[in-house]
């Protein structure tokens, strides 16, 4: 597992408009997930997402090139699209992963890991997830992520079976509690899918 720099150009290219693939949607606790296609109708990724009580958003996209991207958004934090930030992704367990995060638009910052098996193991080893160095002084409660990622991986396997379709390089927890800021974690809140939830820019299909 390592942070990837080679995907920045693809993420910053003219973004494809993503849409959920009917029939691939799933829920796991507070998490929602689905497969996506780009504006050209080709398979893009399978993702999981969760919203938090103070408006923070966490998305994880799984791609057919054996990578995943963590997208984070926090109200009041504005990013300069295209800017990269030396950053460290970490849980409360193990060592942080160092690399470059990049702003895909004003709202979402992204950090890509290569190697799905190791990356999923890394993300699910703890209860809280943080991305340091990007101006988000917050830890995100990711309880239940393991079950959601397992479903996203099944979605990815189904969408890419036989190698015919490949995605390009570019969702029961405790009841919701108030976000605790830097001293604690943002707590997830169940997001109804009929409530508008910001979607990070899609990684375009090649």
């Amino acid at each position: 597992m390592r942070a990837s720099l080679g995907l920045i150009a693809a993420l910053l290219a003219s973004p494809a408009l993503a849409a959920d693939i009917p029939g691939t949607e799933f829920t796991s606790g507070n998490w929602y997930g689905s497969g996506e296609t780009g504006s050209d109708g080709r398979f893009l990724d399978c993702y999981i997402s969760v919203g938090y009580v103070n408006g923070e958003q966490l998305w994880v996209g799984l791609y057919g090139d054996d990578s995943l991207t963590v997208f984070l958004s926090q109200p009041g934090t504005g990013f300069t699209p295209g800017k990269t930030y030396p950053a460290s992704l970490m849980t409360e367990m193990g060592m942080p992963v160092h690399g470059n995060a990049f702003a895909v638009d004003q709202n979402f910052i992204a950090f890509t890991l290569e190697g799905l098996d190791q990356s999923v193991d890394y993300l699910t080893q703890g209860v809280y997830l943080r991305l340091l160095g990007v101006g988000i002084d917050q830890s995100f409660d990711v309880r239940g992520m393991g079950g959601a990622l397992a479903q996203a991986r099944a979605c990815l396997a189904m969408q890419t079976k036989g190698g015919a379709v490949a995605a390009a390089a570019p969702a029961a927890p405790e009841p919701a509690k108030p976000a605790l800021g830097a001293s604690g974690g943002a707590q997830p809140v169940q997001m109804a899918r009929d409530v508008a939830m910001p979607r990070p820019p899609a990684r375009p299909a090649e």
Side-chain angles (χ1 to χ4, degrees):
M1 176 188 67
R2 64 185 179 87
S4 172
L5 301 179
L7 304 177
I8 295 176
L11 279 158
L12 297 179
S14 297
L17 297 177
D20 287 356
I21 300 172
T24 65
E25 303 92 341
F26 60 87
T27 58
S28 180
N30 288 328
W31 297 83
Y32 174 86
S34 181
E36 289 185 301
T37 57
S39 58
D40 59 2
R42 295 179 61 197
F43 173 70
L44 191 65
D45 70 344
C46 288
Y47 72 88
I48 61 172
S49 64
V50 70
Y52 296 86
V53 294
N54 280 8
E56 298 94 342
Q57 306 288 342
L58 170 61
W59 290 66
V60 182
L62 280 63
Y63 300 88
D65 64 351
D66 197 37
S67 72
L68 63 77
T69 297
V70 176
F71 297 89
L72 295 173
S73 179
Q74 183 180 56
T77 304
F79 302 110
T80 302
K83 182 176 180 179
T84 60
Y85 302 76
S88 299
L89 187 70
M90 63 181 297
T91 72
E92 77 278 13
M93 307 288 291
M95 301 296 291
V97 177
H98 305 293
N100 281 325
F102 38 94
V104 291
D105 68 5
Q106 292 182 339
N107 299 311
F108 281 94
I109 194 80
F111 193 90
T112 296
L113 299 173
E114 295 180 343
L116 276 177
D117 290 340
Q118 291 174 294
S119 299
V120 168
D121 288 345
Y122 181 81
L123 291 179
T124 57
Q125 68 180 335
V127 174
Y128 293 103
L129 184 69
R130 298 188 71 184
L131 183 61
L132 304 178
V134 299
I136 297 179
D137 191 12
Q138 184 69 278
S139 54
F140 291 77
D141 185 334
V142 293
R143 279 171 283 194
M145 177 189 275
L149 283 173
Q151 293 191 62
R153 295 196 71 178
C155 167
L156 182 65
M158 179 62 68
Q159 295 300 316
T160 60
K161 63 182 178 180
V165 182
E174 292 183 357
K177 300 176 183 177
L180 301 177
S183 63
Q187 301 289 329
V189 60
Q190 183 69 44
M191 294 294 292
R193 291 304 294 175
D194 57 356
V195 176
M197 183 171 176
R199 179 189 298 271
R203 288 165 48 165
E206 291 181 341

